[in-house]
Structures are given as structure tokens and as C-alpha cells.
Amino acid sequence: MKQLKLRAAAFLLAITFCATAGAEDITVMISGGFSAALDKLAPQYQAATGDTVHIVHGPSMGNSPEAIPNRLSAGQPADVVIMVGYALDDLNKQRKIAQGSRTELADSRIGAVVREGSAAPDISNVDNLKAVLLKAKSIAYSDSASGRYVQAELFNRLGIAAQVRDKARMIEKIPVASVVAKGDEEIGFQQVSELLPVKGAKFIGRIPESVQYVTRFAGAVVAGAPHQQQARRLLRFLASPEAQTVVRQTGLDPLPATGGIAQ
């Protein structure tokens, strides 16, 4: 652990020396999956570079004004966006991100929670997961990529779509675990990194790999952003091997090798 901390300190020192401009305020629009990692990594980055990281939260997609694509379309300023990879592809097609700046950050898998104090059901295999869902009085899932998979594919793959239709609910804008923690829903599904930070909810595990859905999170520099160099520097740090310990701690899966790193 001490060696990892020394490596991280050396990397941060290196990017500080490589900075070609003074400290700036960097605005990052980010969706939920990578938020916990950024919350932990941003203070290290700020201390080393002098840059201030302002974080604006919003889903990767959807019709709400808070959704990142809608924020950008409305003219809200940002230097960096971090979001679901295929939603970032759409922004690239619209030329809303700087060419060649996409940076792969981590993969995210779906897990489940129940209310703290409740018995933890076993969802470690497909048969158990199916039985738990059939027995549950209510089921919650997100309005982002993971929830759309749960609604459109997972229930069908388990052969229980008709049985759970009337007791399954999409949760918009807020963490799924928050409604489970209050007792409004019995079991909730979302990306693991979005479930773990919520107090009052008990994480019971990931869904089985054979029915798992992996979401790639990536970042990019916003086209025309005022702080292009600082934005690229931040993305390099978030994708670095030195940041991967924190990425893993927040429930994400670090990538075996980084690709498309912003230069």
C-alpha cells in the first residue's frame, strides 16, 4: 500500500511539472457510475496541480434537463464530460467533444441492494436470482443504462417479465438504493458503484456474470472548452494506473490497459 501511495504521489508530481498553464477551475459533468471515484480522486488532483474541480451531476441520457447531453445543448459550460461510453459516442457524432480526447476509464457491473437490517438474499446464480425476483414484493431499477437493460432484457432472459411487470419500477434522477433504504422498494438494481455509497442500503452482490451487463465509462474534453490542456491532464490522471486502486474500491472494474488517453 505504501508503494502504491508513493507511485501515485510521483505521478501527480509528474503531471504538475508537465502542466503548461496555470491553475484553473475545471468543470466536470459526470453521471453516477464514476462519481464516487471522482469524489475520492479529485482532492488528490487538486492538491497536486492547483486546479479546482467543479463537479456537475447528471445522467448520461434521458429527457430530464439534468441529463448531460441536454445540459450541453442548453449551453451550460463544461470542460470535461464523464459518462456511459455509448452516450459519449453520440456526443462525438454531434461534434460536442474534442476530436481524439475520448479516454477510457473503467467498466461497471450491475449489483443489488436491500434495506439495511434485512436478510440478504442469495443472487449468486441465475436460479437464485430468478427466485428472489419472483418472491420480492417490489423491484426498483435505474433510468440509466443498467436499468434499461434490467427492464428490456434481464427480466426476459430470466423468463419472468410477465410475472414482475406490475411490481417493477424505474427510479428517475435519484439513486435506486435511496428508495430501498427508505423501505419504499424491497430490492434495487443499479451499477455497483452507484449502490455502495448510499447509507441505509445493504449491498448483496453482483448479478451472475452469465446475465450481467457491463457498462463502459469514459471521459472526453468538451469541444470548445476554455481549459483544454487542464481537461486533458485531468483525464490522464483518472485513467492512470495510479488511480486504479481508488477506482476498484468504489465498485468499478479497472481496465486491463488504458486506451485512447487524451494527450
Side-chain angles (χ1 to χ4, degrees):
M1 182 61 69
K2 183 177 180 181
Q3 186 177 13
L4 285 172
K5 290 182 178 179
L6 290 173
R7 287 178 59 196
F11 179 82
L12 286 166
L13 187 61
I15 63 173
T16 303
F17 286 145
C18 289
T20 57
E24 298 285 357
D25 289 349
I26 310 301
T27 299
V28 180
M29 288 186 181
I30 185 169
S31 61
F34 201 80
S35 290
L38 181 62
D39 287 344
K40 291 178 179 294
L41 291 167
Q44 298 179 33
Y45 181 82
Q46 291 177 144
T49 64
D51 290 343
T52 300
V53 179
H54 295 286
I55 302 174
V56 178
H57 296 278
S60 294
M61 62 199 76
N63 298 321
S64 71
E66 295 84 3
I68 292 173
N70 298 335
R71 287 184 183 275
L72 294 177
S73 295
Q76 295 185 34
D79 298 292
V80 174
V81 290
I82 298 174
M83 56 200 300
V84 172
Y86 65 79
L88 191 60
D89 289 338
D90 290 338
L91 292 183
N92 185 45
K93 293 175 183 177
Q94 300 168 31
R95 299 185 179 181
K96 290 184 178 180
I97 63 173
Q99 184 176 6
S101 68
R102 173 167 170 149
T103 303
E104 311 302 316
L105 295 175
D107 284 336
S108 180
R109 284 171 163 78
I110 298 172
V113 291
V114 294
R115 192 177 189 183
E116 188 70 45
S118 302
D122 179 9
I123 60 168
S124 60
N125 60 60
V126 171
D127 288 339
N128 286 353
L129 174 62
K130 180 176 178 179
V132 167
L133 290 172
L134 289 173
K135 183 179 178 181
K137 294 179 180 178
S138 58
I139 303 165
Y141 53 89
S142 78
D143 63 345
S144 62
S146 63
R148 295 183 183 199
Y149 166 75
V150 170
Q151 179 188 54
E153 296 189 44
L154 179 62
F155 294 154
N156 285 320
R157 292 178 68 176
L158 295 175
I160 59 172
Q163 295 97 313
V164 302
R165 183 180 297 115
D166 293 337
K167 62 179 181 179
R169 182 165 71 99
M170 177 179 285
I171 306 301
E172 297 183 351
K173 300 182 181 180
I174 60 175
V176 170
S178 66
V179 298
V180 175
K182 291 190 298 182
D184 294 341
E185 305 290 342
E186 183 175 331
I187 188 168
F189 294 85
Q190 198 166 13
Q191 290 154 350
V192 175
S193 59
E194 297 186 66
L195 297 173
L196 293 180
V198 179
K199 294 181 179 180
K202 179 194 296 184
F203 178 67
I204 60 172
R206 301 180 177 193
I207 66 174
E209 197 66 23
S210 61
V211 292
Q212 183 61 258
Y213 179 79
V214 180
T215 301
R216 170 64 54 88
F217 278 88
V221 179
V222 176
H227 307 113
Q228 297 271 323
Q229 293 177 337
Q230 291 86 351
R232 291 173 185 267
R233 183 172 62 181
L234 173 61
L235 287 172
R236 285 199 301 272
F237 169 61
L238 296 178
S240 69
E242 290 71 25
Q244 297 310 298
T245 299
V246 170
V247 169
R248 184 179 291 105
Q249 289 172 348
T250 60
L252 294 166
D253 297 320
L255 304 181
T258 55
I261 304 303
Q263 299 300 314

